[in-house]
Amino acid sequence: DIVITQSPLSLSVTPGEPASISCTSSQSLLHSDGYNYLDWYLQKPGQPPQLLIYLGSNRASGVPDRFSGSGSGTHFTLKISRVEADDVGIYYCMQPLQTWKFGQGTKVEIK
Amino acid sequence: QVQLQESGPGLVKPSETLFITCTISGGSIGTYYWSWIRQPAGKGLEWIGRFYAGGSTSYNPSLKSRVTMSADKSKNQFFLKMSSVTAADTAVYYCAREAGAGQQQLLYWGQGTLATVSS
């Protein structure tokens, strides 16, 4: 089974400052088709998760460009260039390559 | 706009079967993959399985022996059936739809329905 590990598990950020979340996979998520099968979701309080980034680095429609995804193989990063109050919630990475697995989640709060 | 709405019994007794419905509006069930995901209170997300109305299914091995997914195309609904439930199955259950055209990211989500297993 592929194990997904996120870090940190919590993050307190000053508005306007950047934030970064890491996601590490126990196996490569780079498929033979050239795509990295790693997605990022944000679950705001009291809401279902919403898609932010798919295939490692593609922003979903309507997602602000302050969000970016990078990485390949086993190491991935979600970056928020300037955190806003609306960005609070729990961020999950997820691999849909084998048995789909979510990371443990990273709780982001505003200082 | 695609909208998903889960509905279920709310309370289920241990050892019984949980049955949850996802009703789809704004799109057809027939040409996409659909997933079920659950989340115990205060905990993370667990993928339960994936279903294609044409008959293809893929289940989380940890739940496979107890889970069945199916659909009623005429009603634009798909279903989750989970047998022999225990307290550990208490969670909010979400249905979700993939983006389509070979893209597996979960683009549309329902609001979730809470299923509590208790006697």
Side-chain angles (χ1 to χ4, degrees):
Chain A
D1 275 11
I2 296 178
V3 177
I4 297 292
T5 304
Q6 279 184 241
S7 65
L9 298 184
S10 66
L11 203 49
S12 183
V13 189
T14 300
E17 293 297 304
S20 180
I21 300 170
S22 173
C23 182
T24 301
S25 173
S26 61
Q27 298 179 34
S28 177
L29 301 180
L30 178 61
H31 192 269
S32 56
D33 62 10
Y35 292 105
N36 282 284
Y37 281 75
L38 189 284
D39 305 324
W40 291 95
Y41 295 86
L42 165 60
Q43 186 174 30
K44 295 183 178 181
Q47 295 186 21
Q50 60 188 77
L51 178 67
L52 291 177
I53 303 287
Y54 63 96
L55 296 175
S57 60
N58 298 278
R59 262 190 311 275
S61 177
V63 173
D65 61 7
R66 65 177 184 276
F67 290 92
S68 63
S70 63
S72 183
T74 60
H75 289 86
F76 298 87
T77 303
L78 175 70
K79 292 182 179 177
I80 311 172
S81 59
R82 296 173 305 280
V83 172
E84 297 184 2
D86 189 50
D87 299 337
V88 298
I90 303 175
Y91 290 77
Y92 295 94
C93 57
M94 194 272 281
Q95 65 83 10
L97 194 58
Q98 293 181 9
T99 300
W100 295 21
K101 287 275 181 63
F102 290 89
Q104 311 97 305
T106 297
K107 186 173 185 177
V108 172
E109 62 176 21
I110 299 297
K111 281 184 182 176
Chain B
Q1 175 71 346
V2 175
Q3 292 187 317
L4 310 180
Q5 181 64 59
E6 305 88 346
S7 56
L11 181 64
V12 184
K13 289 183 168 54
S15 79
E16 295 189 343
T17 295
L18 171 65
F19 192 84
I20 301 176
T21 299
C22 182
T23 301
I24 304 146
S25 58
S28 170
I29 192 173
T31 55
Y32 294 95
Y33 278 87
W34 307 85
S35 280
W36 288 100
I37 299 98
R38 70 180 182 178
Q39 185 173 39
K43 296 189 177 180
L45 300 164
E46 180 181 30
W47 179 73
I48 300 171
R50 184 177 181 234
F51 170 83
Y52 183 70
S56 169
T57 56
S58 176
Y59 299 140
N60 188 323
S62 68
L63 299 169
K64 185 176 183 178
S65 64
R66 300 193 291 125
V67 167
T68 304
M69 295 180 186
S70 60
D72 184 335
K73 294 181 185 179
S74 67
K75 294 183 178 179
N76 232 24
Q77 294 177 324
F78 71 108
F79 312 108
L80 170 68
K81 186 172 77 170
M82 182 179 291
S83 63
S84 305
V85 296
T86 70
D89 297 311
T90 295
V92 173
Y93 286 75
Y94 295 101
C95 57
R97 200 205 85 179
E98 297 177 18
Q103 297 191 51
Q104 295 178 299
Q105 62 270 22
L106 297 171
L107 186 56
Y108 298 101
W109 293 70
Q111 289 298 309
T113 186
L114 174 63
T116 301
V117 180
S118 174
S119 55

